[in-house]
């Protein structure tokens, strides 16, 4: 969960570059992908705030499982479209990317919020901050070196397919 969220944040950092150089987006349109990501995250925050506490624990687990499947599914769809070789502004990925980003961000943010909820429930009000800080530290220990490798991959070869594939695989494993 935490590693997945770390990869999601890396993906949003890479999206404008990938969209500009790999898919032919204008700089402004590529930046709008970040707005799409934020819109999906905002929608997830509002939904979780509105319904989470009213769901029984078993139903909450189903929601988290569904969010994980949607996140993985949208990630794999982005990867498959990118690996298909169709690039440029008229490619299927260029047209589907804004929608996939909203779906991805929505589902991934539900998982991210679940970690906050879990730390409060597991550690209680006294130790929840400590537990969350430790889990976030573990996320950063994993994602910071990976982010460096990803940046080097893009800088050295502009191999967006390899970078996107590695990010998606790392996300699914994490």
């Amino acid at each position: 969960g935490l590693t997945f969220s770390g990869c999601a944040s890396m993906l949003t950092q890479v999206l404008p570059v990938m969209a500009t150089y790999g898919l032919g987006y204008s700089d402004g349109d590529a930046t709008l992908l970040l707005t799409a990501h934020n819109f999906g995250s905002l929608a997830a925050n509002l939904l979780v705030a509105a319904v989470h506490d009213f769901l029984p624990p078993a139903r909450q687990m189903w929601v988290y499982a569904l969010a994980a499947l949607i996140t993985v599914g949208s990630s794999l769809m982005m990867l498959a479209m990118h690996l298909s070789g169709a690039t440029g502004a008229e490619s299927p990925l260029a047209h589907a990317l804004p929608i996939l980003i909203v779906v991805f961000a929505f589902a991934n943010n539900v998982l991210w919020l679940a970690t906050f909820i879990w730390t409060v429930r597991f550690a209680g009000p006294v130790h929840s901050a400590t537990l969350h800080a430790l889990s976030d530290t573990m996320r950063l220990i994993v994602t910071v070196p990976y982010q460096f490798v990803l940046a080097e991959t893009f800088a050295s070869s502009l191999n967006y397919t390899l970078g996107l594939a590695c990010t998606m695989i790392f996300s699914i494993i994490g």
Side-chain angles (χ1 to χ4, degrees):
L2 290 177
T3 304
F4 199 97
S5 295
C7 289
S9 68
M10 284 186 281
L11 180 63
T12 59
Q13 293 169 5
V14 169
L15 272 173
V17 174
M18 184 189 85
T20 301
Y21 294 105
L23 297 173
Y25 275 55
S26 69
D27 290 341
D29 288 341
T31 304
L32 286 175
L33 290 176
L34 298 178
T35 303
H37 186 274
N38 288 336
F39 178 77
S41 297
L42 173 64
N45 283 350
L46 294 174
L47 180 72
V48 169
V51 301
H52 185 274
D53 292 337
F54 301 107
L55 294 175
R59 184 72 47 101
Q60 290 172 4
M61 292 308 296
W62 279 105
V63 169
Y64 299 146
L66 180 63
L69 288 174
I70 291 171
T71 305
V72 169
S74 60
S75 300
L76 291 176
M77 286 176 65
M78 282 187 274
L79 180 59
M81 284 190 278
H82 193 65
L83 291 175
S84 72
T87 59
E90 296 305 315
S91 71
L93 180 58
H95 291 296
L97 196 56
I99 295 165
L100 285 172
I101 292 301
V102 170
V103 170
F104 174 84
F106 178 88
N108 190 66
N109 209 53
V110 168
L111 296 174
W112 180 245
L113 292 168
T115 62
F116 288 110
I117 295 164
W118 178 81
T119 55
V120 171
R121 286 186 179 167
F122 182 77
V126 176
H127 301 291
S128 62
T130 302
L131 181 60
H132 188 72
L134 288 174
S135 64
D136 206 38
T137 300
M138 295 305 293
R139 178 188 63 86
L140 290 169
I141 286 171
V142 172
T143 58
V144 167
Y146 181 76
Q147 193 170 16
F148 176 75
V149 170
L150 186 66
E152 285 297 313
T153 300
F154 285 154
S156 65
S157 65
L158 296 178
N159 191 338
Y160 302 106
T161 302
L162 176 63
L164 185 62
C166 290
T167 300
M168 294 302 112
I169 291 167
F170 192 75
S171 296
I172 293 166
I173 292 170

